[in-house]
Amino acid sequence: MALKVRLKELIYDVYERRLRRKLDGVQHPRHVGVILDGNRRWAKDAGLDAAHGHRVGARKIVELLGWCEEAEVEVVTLWLLSTDNLNRSPEELGALMEIIAGVVDELTDPATPWRVRIVGALDVLPTETAARLSAAALRTKGRTGMQVNVAVGYGGRREIADAVRKLLQQHAEAGTTIEELAEVLTVDHIAEHLYTSGQPDPDLLIRTSGEQRLSGFMLWQSAHSEFWFTEAYWPAFRRVDFLRALRDYAVRHRRFGG
């Protein structure tokens, strides 16, 4: 059995090196979004509880960010908790909140170079969790490393609604009437108020676990994104899977309607 495992590892090593060579000199995405899906199903298949799956998935995140840095990705958006996830049992949700807070603490540790932004509706989270996430992200202000967006309490429709609400409030405070705003309103005005304002839209969106839908992830920003789906559950996602996503992205012709 051990020999079979070792042989499999060697095969993957050879395949991974070949993929990396193919990526030399090709186009790389500036912004990668990842839907980290399948923690619970991975745990169930292993005969473990959901919290264990979330913890294993959390440990995978730093690995992914390392792979992204090697690929010269500038922005990574990680979807950790959707607004729909808030309907889960209090026991699972409580454990998940603590795991997510722990992940953000790890990503914002003084030893890490990343700039972290929390994207989502923090008002739907427990007050203590929201404060902890905000304080952790604030610690990374002024850093120059890769931008890491952590989507918690995130929903694409909620994000657009929040952006429009902020836009209306801004113009109301400036004395602009609805009629005047309607005359000048553009998509850029709304984009300026999204959670990811000031950042490039995602070039590549990855979803694990075999589901082939976005479930509302970055609805506005993904208008021209390339999608890549894999059967692997998030805790089992490997570097070779990430390289395959980059390879497939590199060979696609991005016409943007032209």
Side-chain angles (χ1 to χ4, degrees):
M1 179 63 71
L3 179 61
K4 183 180 293 186
V5 171
R6 182 56 184 157
L7 181 60
K8 186 176 182 180
E9 290 175 348
L10 287 173
I11 292 172
Y12 275 122
D13 286 344
V14 172
Y15 181 46
E16 181 180 311
R17 287 196 294 270
R18 188 169 71 178
L19 282 173
R20 295 177 74 170
R21 286 196 299 270
K22 287 184 176 181
L23 290 170
D24 288 341
V26 302
Q27 65 173 350
H28 287 120
R30 291 181 64 198
H31 183 171
V32 175
V34 187
I35 303 174
L36 316 177
D37 195 20
N39 290 338
R40 294 196 300 173
R41 280 170 282 171
W42 179 88
K44 183 178 179 180
D45 287 353
L48 303 167
D49 63 16
H52 185 83
H54 293 312
R55 284 192 290 269
V56 174
R59 291 196 292 268
K60 178 72 65 174
I61 289 173
V62 171
E63 283 188 72
L64 171 69
L65 295 181
W67 304 337
C68 288
E69 285 183 319
E70 291 176 1
E72 300 181 347
V73 174
E74 298 172 22
V75 184
V76 181
T77 299
L78 309 168
W79 198 7
L80 302 190
L81 183 77
S82 73
T83 49
D84 291 338
N85 294 154
L86 296 171
N87 296 321
R88 293 180 179 178
S89 70
E91 294 78 14
E92 181 180 353
L93 201 54
L96 186 52
M97 289 293 180
E98 183 59 32
I99 291 167
I100 289 172
V103 166
V104 174
D105 283 341
E106 182 180 9
L107 299 184
T108 59
D109 185 271
T112 63
W114 304 308
R115 293 169 290 145
V116 173
R117 181 188 293 190
I118 307 300
V119 296
L122 290 181
D123 59 299
V124 304
L125 304 179
T127 303
E128 183 179 342
T129 301
R132 184 174 169 184
L133 297 180
S134 297
L138 190 60
R139 290 197 293 267
T140 68
K141 187 176 181 180
R143 293 184 183 178
T144 57
M146 184 171 63
Q147 176 71 55
V148 179
N149 299 322
V150 181
V152 184
Y154 177 88
R157 291 177 176 176
R158 173 66 184 261
E159 178 181 24
I160 295 170
D162 283 349
V164 173
R165 187 179 301 109
K166 290 177 184 176
L167 176 65
L168 292 174
Q169 289 172 342
Q170 180 187 68
H171 282 270
E173 291 169 1
T176 307
T177 66
I178 291 294
E179 291 76 13
E180 290 170 334
L181 178 58
E183 286 291 325
V184 299
L185 183 63
T186 67
V187 294
D188 290 335
H189 289 131
I190 296 175
E192 289 170 0
H193 293 82
L194 295 173
Y195 301 147
T196 57
S197 61
Q199 299 177 1
D201 289 339
D203 304 294
L204 173 65
L205 293 181
I206 297 171
R207 181 167 188 165
T208 59
S209 86
E211 303 292 350
Q212 297 193 25
R213 60 179 183 273
L214 295 184
S215 300
F217 185 49
M218 305 192 87
L219 279 177
W220 182 282
Q221 301 93 327
S222 64
H224 297 293
S225 301
E226 300 293 336
F227 305 146
W228 195 84
F229 304 102
T230 176
E231 295 292 326
Y233 294 140
W234 171 245
F237 190 74
R238 305 157 300 176
R239 184 200 299 262
V240 71
D241 298 312
F242 180 67
L243 294 175
R244 287 172 57 216
L246 295 184
R247 178 200 61 191
D248 290 358
Y249 170 83
V251 300
R252 296 181 187 180
H253 300 288
R254 311 192 74 209
R255 299 185 181 87
F256 301 107

